[in-house]
Amino acid sequence: MHVLVSGAAGSLGRVITVGLEGLGHDVVGLDLVPAPEGTTFPWYEADCADADAVEAVVAALTTGGRLDAVVHLAGAPEELSLPDELTSHVVTTAALLDAMVAHDVPRLVYASSNHAVGRTPRASGELTEAALPRPDTYYGVAKVAAEALMRLFADRHGIDAVACRIGSFLEEPASVRGLSTWLSHGDGLRMVEAALTTPAPGFAVLYGISANTRAWWDLEPGRRLGYEPQDDAEAYVDRVQAGPDDEAEAEFVGGPFATAQFVRPALRPGTSP
């Protein structure tokens, strides 16, 4: 497949782009910053919040050829002001979807977040894709809105759109909560590959975690799309130290985001996430 990956220079993007290329996909990177040293695939520098810039990239990639999918990983990973979060996650998603419709790109795979349902109490039991939106932050609100945009474009334009509600994407779990929410690098790639290649998913949501023994979220939605995680955070249990905040972090599925008090600075003029 010919795949455009936004946010390709980020921690998730670097793993996914290299992994997809290794699986034989034709990868193109898109980010605000130059390609990391050693990058072997084409790269565009552009702001995904700039609809004209996004349109130009997608137009260039579809002139005389075909773009099969966009993997949208771009966006600020921390809590910001509400306008900044909406720009970072909703405006960017809309720009990509508009360009996709204009140039007949049929599929979007999106890095959503567990924080879209982060204020759901853990006492509610295992979380399924039927859980109602319950964001824990402005960041979570923006992820909910981006998922709603994907549903709109799936319904109105026939786009296949898979929202991956990612847990804790790390080399290994770093907390007791992480033993439930961890997504390994290998499973992160398996998740995106499944979302890219599953036949005709329409709009779908999966929970982006590994096959963790202590998982809080239902893996069945991902398995229906072909995502078969191979790793289990339990393999690292001896390395994870108990902490004073473990009980509080287990109260809501969003962990510390669900109760933390954030300072939300505005972006400097002329910048965007």
Side-chain angles (χ1 to χ4, degrees):
M1 296 179 71
H2 191 194
V3 182
L4 174 66
V5 180
S6 73
S11 58
L12 179 59
R14 290 192 298 272
V15 172
I16 298 305
T17 51
V18 172
L20 289 177
E21 188 181 41
L23 291 171
H25 296 285
D26 294 321
V27 175
V28 178
L30 171 62
D31 210 301
L32 282 169
V33 298
E37 186 175 352
T39 297
T40 57
F41 45 84
W43 192 276
Y44 287 85
E45 282 184 55
D47 184 351
C48 286
D50 181 339
D52 291 337
V54 170
E55 160 71 22
V57 170
V58 175
L61 292 173
T62 52
T63 299
R66 178 172 175 81
L67 182 62
D68 297 299
V70 174
V71 177
H72 183 23
L73 311 179
E78 69 273 2
E79 179 74 341
L80 302 171
S81 70
L82 180 58
D84 292 338
E85 291 292 354
L86 295 177
T87 297
S88 184
H89 302 287
V90 184
V91 172
T92 61
T93 303
L96 285 163
L97 284 166
D98 281 336
M100 289 170 63
V101 168
H103 296 281
D104 297 319
V105 182
R107 183 169 303 213
L108 178 71
V109 177
Y110 178 56
S112 188
S113 172
N114 69 94
H115 298 294
V117 289
R119 271 301 283 202
T120 307
R122 274 284 301 119
S124 300
E126 188 178 59
L127 216 63
T128 74
E129 83 270 36
L132 294 174
R134 201 161 179 177
D136 53 21
T137 46
Y138 288 155
Y139 174 80
V141 167
K143 292 298 188 181
V144 170
E147 288 187 11
L149 266 176
M150 294 167 65
R151 187 63 187 254
L152 171 67
F153 275 73
D155 288 344
R156 292 183 68 98
H157 301 289
I159 293 279
D160 285 320
V162 181
C164 303
R165 291 179 177 167
I166 295 172
S168 307
F169 182 71
L170 300 165
E171 290 190 23
E172 60 182 71
S175 66
V176 171
R177 176 177 180 267
L179 295 173
S180 301
T181 64
W182 182 56
L183 176 65
S184 71
H185 285 190
D187 283 336
L189 176 60
R190 294 180 190 100
M191 173 190 72
V192 172
E193 168 76 356
L196 282 171
T197 58
T198 189
F203 174 77
V205 171
L206 64 84
Y207 286 99
I209 57 172
S210 290
N212 302 325
T213 299
R214 309 185 194 197
W216 290 351
W217 305 313
D218 185 10
L219 279 167
E220 182 55 29
R223 290 193 170 110
R224 289 199 300 268
L225 301 177
Y227 171 46
E228 291 291 346
Q230 303 298 311
D231 300 319
D232 186 344
E234 210 67 16
Y236 298 91
V237 68
D238 292 340
R239 302 190 198 179
V240 175
Q241 301 297 315
D245 299 323
D246 289 341
E247 185 174 347
E249 290 187 0
E251 184 178 0
F252 300 98
V253 299
F257 266 48
T259 55
Q261 298 298 313
F262 291 100
V263 177
R264 301 183 177 93
L267 290 176
R268 296 187 306 275
T271 68
S272 60

